[in-house]
């Protein structure tokens, strides 16, 4: 056992939902003492940095029940178990915005909240966008919003964009613009 | 009711832990249909972008039970209910790394995973760092790692830094360096 590792003594399932599973683990700490860890399991998610030929990022406005408000995000969705992330990215982009892409390339990925959740989020960049009709899930209501890099950074500065994946996507886009890509 | 909003019909508590609360809400969708939403409640967290006089970012290596592995992150911690985020940032920085700061300024903030959780994470920038002795919680085992901006971006490119708040902090730092700040 490494000097930082925690060893599972007992794992108690709490909740088995459609989106998350919750469990409480009793662990042995590196010093031999015990502690409990509250854990949320999630299959992971993908999101898409999509910039149109007109140089605008494609965002969606969506009501988020955990926040009890509507926020502005890059298109995203939950991975089905075993689903190829690139396939999921193409599906969510089409469903939420109507756009299809010639190419989808993974450009970043991170754990959203490693203190309590195992959710890993991929960011794909979509190239060669073609507009089509959105086909949202039956329980999904989204509006597409497009804005320039400057407008997006202004919205972020005003706190109107305050979602982890969207903040990272804006910096990725800014870096690409600065590199002339 | 706005055109995107979901109205709560019934809320069922599932789990009331020390770190998270879990509930399942039945909602009425904008089209009048019903759906369920699995929600994780969290008091929020702070994290600290701390760059030493030698131009190195202060990171911590920590075992994260949800991931079953050790990862590299900026110092961070959970807000106590009602706690001032700047106070929490000073406390966590000292506890985890031993550093104290002359000034702590909020430079970013975002929801980590708005699809299922209400956790909001603040990023504070620490200025005027002074080294001292770390005083971690009794159930917390962390190692401090310091590296340059280039090293940090190389680690990110290799997937060795893959945590939302740390990725955002690195871009904030890079932007500040590019602006000559």
């Amino acid at each position: 056992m490494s000097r930082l590792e925690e060893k599972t003594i007992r794992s108690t399932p709490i909740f088995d939902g459609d989106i998350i599973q919750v469990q409480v683990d009793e662990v042995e700490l590196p010093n031999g003492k015990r502690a409990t860890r509250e854990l949320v399991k999630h299959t992971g998610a993908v999101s898409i940095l999509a910039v149109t030929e007109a140089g605008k990022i494609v965002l969606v406005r969506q009501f988020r029940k955990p926040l009890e408000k509507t926020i502005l995000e890059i298109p995203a969705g939950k991975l089905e178990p075993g689903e190829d992330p690139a396939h999921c990215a193409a599906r969510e982009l089409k469903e939420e915005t109507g756009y299809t892409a010639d190419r989808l390339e993974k450009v970043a990925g991170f754990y959203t909240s490693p203190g309590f959740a195992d959710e890993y989020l991929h960011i794909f960049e979509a190239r060669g966008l073609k507009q089509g009709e959105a086909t949202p899930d039956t329980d999904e209501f989204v509006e597409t919003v497009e804005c320039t890099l400057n407008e997006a950074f202004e919205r972020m500065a005003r706190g109107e964009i305050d979602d982890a994946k969207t903040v990272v996507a804006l910096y990725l886009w800014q870096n690409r613009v600065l590199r002339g890509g």
Side-chain angles (χ1 to χ4, degrees), chain A residues 40-59:
Chain A
V40 175
K41 301 284 183 178
H42 186 286
T43 54
V46 303
S47 57
I48 305 101
L49 166 59
V51 178
T52 66
E53 277 197 21
K56 294 189 170 188
I57 191 170
V58 181
L59 301 173

Side-chain angles (χ1 to χ4, degrees), chain A residues 15-22 40-45 64 66 77-81 117-119 137 139:
Chain A
F15 174 66
D16 185 14
D18 290 331
I19 308 295
I20 57 170
Q21 286 79 47
V22 180
V40 175
K41 301 284 183 178
H42 186 286
T43 54
R64 290 302 202 171
K78 184 177 166 290
L79 281 163
E80 301 299 327
D118 70 348
E119 184 194 28
D137 284 343
D139 68 345

Side-chain angles (χ1 to χ4, degrees), chain A residues 86-160:
Chain A
H87 178 264
C88 182
R91 176 169 56 75
E92 293 290 345
L93 181 64
K94 169 65 179 159
E95 282 179 9
E96 294 192 351
T97 73
Y99 280 106
T100 53
D102 284 343
R103 298 179 306 290
L104 281 161
E105 184 195 352
K106 182 174 171 179
V107 288
F110 50 79
Y111 295 102
T112 55
S113 197
F116 68 89
D118 70 348
E119 184 194 28
Y120 183 87
L121 187 132
H122 305 260
I123 300 183
F124 282 84
E125 183 170 352
R127 300 272 192 160
L129 290 183
K130 286 187 188 62
Q131 186 129 37
E133 197 169 335
T135 54
D137 284 343
T138 54
D139 68 345
E140 193 175 43
F141 296 82
V142 297
E143 283 178 1
T144 300
V145 174
E146 299 186 3
C147 64
T148 65
L149 183 62
N150 282 346
E151 286 165 358
F153 269 83
E154 283 165 16
R155 283 174 188 245
M156 188 161 67
R158 289 197 300 266
E160 293 168 21

Side-chain angles (χ1 to χ4, degrees), chain A residues 9-41:
Chain A
I9 303 298
R10 185 177 30 230
S11 188
T12 306
I14 301 290
F15 174 66
D16 185 14
D18 290 331
I19 308 295
I20 57 170
Q21 286 79 47
V22 180
Q23 67 189 57
V24 174
D25 282 11
E26 186 180 352
V27 300
E28 185 181 307
L29 301 172
N31 64 0
K33 292 189 177 171
R34 300 278 173 99
T36 59
R37 298 288 180 238
E38 301 167 6
L39 312 177
V40 175
K41 301 284 183 178

